Amino acid sequence: GTLDFNALVDITGAVLDLGDDSTVNFNDVLIGDFEYGGGSLTLGSDYEGTISVSKVSGKITLHDGVNIITGGVDNISGTPNSATLTLKGSSVIDGAIGGTSPLASVSIFNKAASVDKFGGVFNSKTLILGANSGTATFVGAAKINDAVTVTADTQNLIFNAGVTLSNGANFAGYNSTVTLDSALDSTFSGALTTSTNNTGNLVVQGGKVTTITKAVGASGKSLSSITIQGANTSAIFSENVYGAVSLNDASMTVADGKSVNGAVDNVSANGTTSLTLLGASTVSGAVGITNPLSSVTAAQGKTVTFSSTVAADKVYVGSGMVNFNGTVTGNVDIASNGAIIKLAAGKNITGDIDNTTDNADQGTLTILGTSAIGGNIGSSNALATISAGVANTTTTFSGNVNAATIS
């Protein structure tokens, strides 16, 4: 049957269990923590407290504009992935979702332009996104087992703490956004994919270090944009990145053996921006299109290939090899013994090439065709070798050249 409450109710400490087929509607203010069994529970006005669902069949619905103040919704049934929560529109839930055990599902974006906020930890097997635009903010750590599938443009998921998406999130061809905005160093564990190339957006901000442990995009299915912004914001990518990256006073680090399949731009005119490649890697797009990066650090004992142009105030080359297949605008520092630089035919380096290892005769520069070097070479210490002897080509050195061997 159906039970309606149309006035303020203080239900503190109660056990409300009217059967799986029952419906309870609280149409006025509800106060107090209580235990709820099976059936459907609908809140039509704000509620102060925590609802603890004790049966797997529990269904809780919040009408548009209804909030849960100070508390949340818990699953105490003893069976993980039980009970459901549906938000019909915009709601704020101050406390935890699934604090004891995960809910079966939470459904949001069931009204256009919904704005939802979850103030505590969020633990649900499934997050269901309705076919409407909306913004949902997850303040506490979030854990979602099933794949999160975007169902409309302008769906925004904002995470303020660590995130575990066990089966990732799929933008499904829509231009929606996942924002990682943590006040503490955090980890985002979950692949971000899309079904249509150049759709979906990732934003990393907050001024802390965010480690993204799974792939971002995939071959032929790149994200539309990846933005890393804000002073002291640093994004560490443990897997491959597919999509155009914009740095705004922020830094990007890519793990050994992983690549950036897209451009890396600096959209900050005055901020400090950096790209660090921790090992073998390829950057397929141009680096520093709008503005030069502050620094690029590459070839930490491995081989790094830049397939297009690089513009940076300083490019640091470690103990491995860097292949520049496009023109380099800026200065290049040989920062470790044994560094090797290869410059493709027809490409140039506009600035200096220096050996800053504190050891003379370190670093090899190989020029594979007609090229120009605009600055000085070996101002601090001599390079070991400069090889520019390709037949029928011309190399132009505009500054001083200091190397143990030139051939």
Side-chain angles (χ1 to χ4, degrees), residues 22-389:
S22 65
T23 299
V24 181
N25 300 312
F26 290 98
N27 300 316
D28 205 332
V29 174
L30 181 67
I31 299 173
D33 298 346
F34 70 98
E35 180 180 319
Y36 182 69
S40 299
L41 173 67
T42 300
L43 300 182
S45 187
D46 287 353
Y47 163 59
E48 298 181 23
T50 293
I51 303 172
S52 297
V53 184
S54 60
K55 287 189 176 181
V56 298
S57 57
K59 300 175 183 177
I60 299 172
T61 299
L62 273 61
H63 282 301
D64 182 27
V66 173
N67 307 306
I68 297 180
I69 303 167
T70 71
V73 178
D74 199 7
N75 169 19
I76 61 168
S77 68
T79 302
N81 309 324
S82 298
T84 66
L85 172 64
T86 300
L87 309 185
K88 290 292 188 180
S90 298
S91 293
V92 174
I93 300 177
D94 286 340
I97 302 296
T100 300
S101 190
L103 271 61
S105 68
V106 176
S107 176
I108 61 175
F109 300 161
N110 293 299
K111 181 180 179 181
S114 297
V115 178
D116 300 313
K117 183 178 181 179
F118 300 94
V121 297
F122 184 96
N123 191 7
S124 178
K125 179 178 184 293
T126 305
L127 177 64
I128 301 170
L129 307 184
N132 297 285
S133 63
T135 298
T137 301
F138 302 82
V139 176
K143 184 177 182 179
I144 302 166
N145 182 74
D146 294 343
V148 178
T149 301
V150 172
T151 57
D153 288 329
T154 324
Q155 292 185 336
N156 302 305
L157 302 177
I158 302 171
F159 297 98
N160 294 151
V163 183
T164 300
L165 303 182
S166 299
N167 288 282
N170 189 343
F171 288 103
Y174 292 102
N175 273 310
S176 291
T177 303
V178 169
T179 298
L180 309 180
D181 185 6
S182 178
L184 299 171
D185 293 348
S186 62
T187 298
F188 180 88
S189 179
L192 292 176
T193 61
T194 187
S195 59
T196 304
N197 198 34
N198 294 323
T199 55
N201 307 285
L202 171 65
V203 176
V204 183
Q205 59 189 31
K208 297 296 181 178
V209 178
T210 299
T211 301
I212 301 167
T213 66
K214 304 293 184 181
V216 176
S219 179
K221 296 179 180 179
S222 297
L223 268 59
S224 177
S225 69
I226 300 162
T227 301
I228 307 167
Q229 61 187 12
N232 300 316
T233 298
S234 176
I236 300 173
F237 294 89
S238 301
E239 296 292 337
N240 291 320
V241 177
Y242 294 84
V245 179
S246 294
L247 300 176
N248 187 345
D249 198 16
S251 65
M252 175 184 188
T253 300
V254 181
D256 180 20
K258 309 305 174 183
S259 296
V260 181
N261 299 275
V264 180
D265 197 11
N266 172 18
V267 297
S268 170
N270 300 312
T272 300
T273 58
S274 66
L275 169 65
T276 300
L277 307 172
L278 294 178
S281 188
T282 296
V283 180
S284 69
V287 176
I289 303 167
T290 305
N291 300 290
L293 271 64
S294 302
S295 66
V296 174
T297 302
Q300 307 298 306
K302 303 290 180 70
T303 298
V304 170
T305 298
F306 293 97
S307 300
S308 188
T309 57
V310 176
D313 295 341
K314 190 84 72 171
V315 179
Y316 296 97
V317 180
S319 58
M321 179 170 65
V322 173
N323 297 308
F324 291 115
N325 291 337
T327 290
V328 179
T329 302
N331 300 314
V332 178
D333 266 20
I334 294 170
S336 297
N337 296 340
I340 300 172
I341 300 168
K342 290 188 176 182
L343 181 64
K347 309 306 176 182
N348 307 312
I349 297 176
T350 66
D352 299 333
I353 302 173
D354 200 7
N355 167 14
T356 58
T357 64
D358 293 331
N359 297 310
D361 305 337
Q362 291 295 327
T364 297
L365 170 64
T366 301
I367 301 171
L368 299 176
T370 296
S371 296
I373 309 299
N376 298 316
I377 297 178
S379 295
S380 300
N381 297 284
L383 272 64
T385 302
I386 298 175
S387 176

